[in-house]
């Protein structure tokens, strides 16, 4: 394959995103080169934009880790993959030798490289990645929908970690993209779900997907949940908002020996009501990323139409408009924005 110039979207520091041209090298041994179709912008990318990850992300850095694409070329020694294959990337590169890896928790390796944060990401027309990171996609799955595999895998992992069971009462605090995906997966597992969200546009979006929604500024959420559960409290509550007040209040929503799952990224420590944790013998869980089984399940759910992809994707923009995509997501005007990366190839 001859040399080809592509566009890349780069974090430049100081809350700036810039577009640059690049001439990507061919894939090395053990790598594949992906022609990236779509890349999603998420809350983690906003944390990068805001400088919260400057210790890990060195400008100018190509970011992005929610993606879909088509293999363009394979490097030496790569087996089982060929040009034309539809793929996504599970963006976790672990060392395999640390205590966490040896205990079977490679996805939260103590020396984890998160692709798109600690190494170059998917906001580039041609992207070289290790073949071991690839996840196959059925060609019947639209590539714009397939760009949601990574956030759906987050939701699958969170619901699985919480051990949500049919008939459970589940509260999702935060009705952004991950919150709605958690609600969707939990509902598919047979749970009854309510989404707590202060933003009216996001409440409207969640309601349009068939969820009960609660405005915590207008309704006392503790009283509502107690009435909903006949005084017991919810079986599981997911804290997805990232707001300090939500973290402090979420422990009041769950039953004796209920489960609180911390999903949101908090750039600084938050107060937690440990008296409530003690009094009700609550289970407080962290849920950081995902495992390979979660990715495979996410592909299945998208392929089966369980995930309302079209309703979640607010807008698709060309790579030249990546900075505007970040601004729109930051403003709260959008659920999920995809960047059409392939349309930016030169």
């Amino acid at each position: 394959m001859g040399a080809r110039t592509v566009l890349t979207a780069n974090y430049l520091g100081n809350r700036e995103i810039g577009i640059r041209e690049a001439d990507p090298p061919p894939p090395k041994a053990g790598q594949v080169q992906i022609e990236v179709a779509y890349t999603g912008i998420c809350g983690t990318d906003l944390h990068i934009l805001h400088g919260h990850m400057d210790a890990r992300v060195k400008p100018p850095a190509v970011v992005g880790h929610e993606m879909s694409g088509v293999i363009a070329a394979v490097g030496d020694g790569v087996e089982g993959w060929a040009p034309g294959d539809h793929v996504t990337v599970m963006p976790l590169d672990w060392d395999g030798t640390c205590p966490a890896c040896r205990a079977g928790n490679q996805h939260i390796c103590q020396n984890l490289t998160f692709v798109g944060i600690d190494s170059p990401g998917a906001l580039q027309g041609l992207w070289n990645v290790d073949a071991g990171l690839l996840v196959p996609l059925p060609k019947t799955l639209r590539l714009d929908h397939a760009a949601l595999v990574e956030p759906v895998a987050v939701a699958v992992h969170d619901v699985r970690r919480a051990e949500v069971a049919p008939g459970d009462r589940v509260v999702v605090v935060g009705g952004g993209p991950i919150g709605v995906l958690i609600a969707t997966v939990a509902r598919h597992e047979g749970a009854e779900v309510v989404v707590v969200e202060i933003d009216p546009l996001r409440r409207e979006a969640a309601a349009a997907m068939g969820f009960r929604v609660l405005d915590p500024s207008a309704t006392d959420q503790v009283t509502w949940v107690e009435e909903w559960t006949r005084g017991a409290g919810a079986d599981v509550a997911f804290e997805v908002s990232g707001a300090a007040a939500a973290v402090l209040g979420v422990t009041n929503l769950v039953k004796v020996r209920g489960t609180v799952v911390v999903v949101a990224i908090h750039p600084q420590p938050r107060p937690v009501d440990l008296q409530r944790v003690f009094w009700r013998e609550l289970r407080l869980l962290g849920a950081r990323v995902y495992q390979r089984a979660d990715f495979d399940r996410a592909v299945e759910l998208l392929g089966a139409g369980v995930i309302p992809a079209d309703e979640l994707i607010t807008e698709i923009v060309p790579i030249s408009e990546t900075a505007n995509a970040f601004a729109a997501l930051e403003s709260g005007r959008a659920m999920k924005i995809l960047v059409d990366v392939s349309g930016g190839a030169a």
Side-chain angles (χ1 to χ4, degrees):
M1 186 176 64
R4 176 178 166 191
T5 299
V6 300
L7 297 182
T8 67
N10 301 260
Y11 167 62
L12 304 179
N14 300 315
R15 294 185 175 233
E16 291 186 34
I17 299 292
I19 305 300
R20 297 185 173 190
E21 290 188 351
D23 297 310
K28 297 177 181 178
Q31 290 186 329
V32 301
Q33 185 171 77
I34 303 171
E35 182 169 9
V36 179
Y38 299 96
T39 299
I41 306 298
C42 74
T44 301
D45 298 313
L46 289 182
H47 281 290
I48 293 173
L49 182 71
H50 297 160
H52 298 154
M53 295 185 173
D54 279 359
R56 297 167 62 185
V57 183
K58 303 301 181 185
V62 177
V63 295
H65 57 273
E66 304 178 1
M67 60 75 62
S68 63
V70 179
I71 294 178
V74 298
D76 291 341
V78 173
E79 297 180 355
W81 301 102
D85 288 347
H86 288 202
V87 295
T88 188
V89 167
M90 180 173 163
L92 306 181
D93 187 7
W94 50 78
D95 64 15
T97 61
C98 74
C101 286
R102 294 199 304 271
N105 298 312
Q106 295 92 339
H107 67 296
I108 44 175
C109 169
Q110 292 165 224
N111 303 301
L112 186 70
T113 295
F114 195 106
V115 179
I117 299 174
D118 305 305
S119 63
L123 280 168
Q124 52 184 312
L126 291 172
W127 187 29
N128 293 338
V129 299
D130 289 343
L133 304 182
L134 297 180
V135 176
L137 298 172
K139 291 189 177 180
T140 53
L141 180 60
R142 284 168 40 183
L143 285 172
D144 56 343
H145 289 183
L148 300 179
V149 168
E150 195 270 356
V152 173
V154 170
V156 170
H157 182 78
D158 296 349
V159 169
R160 183 165 63 85
R161 182 137 169 74
E163 300 176 350
V164 171
D168 278 356
R169 300 286 179 95
V170 170
V171 180
V172 178
V173 182
I178 293 296
V180 169
L181 286 171
I182 288 171
T184 301
V185 175
R187 180 172 63 184
H188 188 65
E189 293 297 325
E192 297 182 49
V193 182
V194 63
V195 176
V196 179
E197 173 56 55
I198 197 165
D199 182 81
L201 293 177
R202 288 188 164 181
R203 281 201 310 275
E204 182 180 350
M209 297 177 208
F211 292 107
R212 297 184 188 185
V213 293
L214 191 65
D215 177 1
S217 67
T219 302
D220 184 279
Q221 59 185 341
V222 175
T223 300
W224 191 95
V225 169
E226 286 182 349
E227 292 176 354
W228 182 43
T229 61
R230 299 180 182 177
D235 297 280
V236 180
F238 294 89
E239 202 304 288
V240 199
S241 73
V247 175
L248 189 59
V250 70
T251 50
N252 292 313
L253 301 177
V254 292
K255 69 179 186 181
V256 167
R257 291 201 167 184
T259 298
V260 173
V261 185
V262 180
V263 178
I265 297 175
H266 296 273
Q268 62 273 328
R270 303 292 198 193
V272 178
D273 187 352
L274 292 181
Q275 166 67 14
R276 185 72 170 186
V277 174
F278 156 80
W279 196 252
R280 287 207 158 189
E281 291 196 357
L282 302 184
R283 187 170 64 146
L284 187 63
L285 295 178
R288 179 178 166 191
V289 279
Y290 28 66
Q291 294 165 283
R292 176 58 186 252
D294 302 315
F295 253 71
D296 293 339
R297 180 62 173 157
V299 173
E300 290 177 6
L301 292 177
L302 280 159
V306 171
I307 306 300
D310 286 326
E311 288 81 0
L312 282 164
I313 299 169
T314 306
E315 188 178 6
I316 299 176
V317 303
I319 191 171
S320 59
E321 298 296 322
T322 301
N324 292 336
F326 271 82
L329 192 63
E330 190 174 25
S331 73
R333 301 193 308 269
M335 288 293 282
K336 176 60 66 176
I337 299 179
L338 302 184
V339 176
D340 181 351
V341 180
S342 60

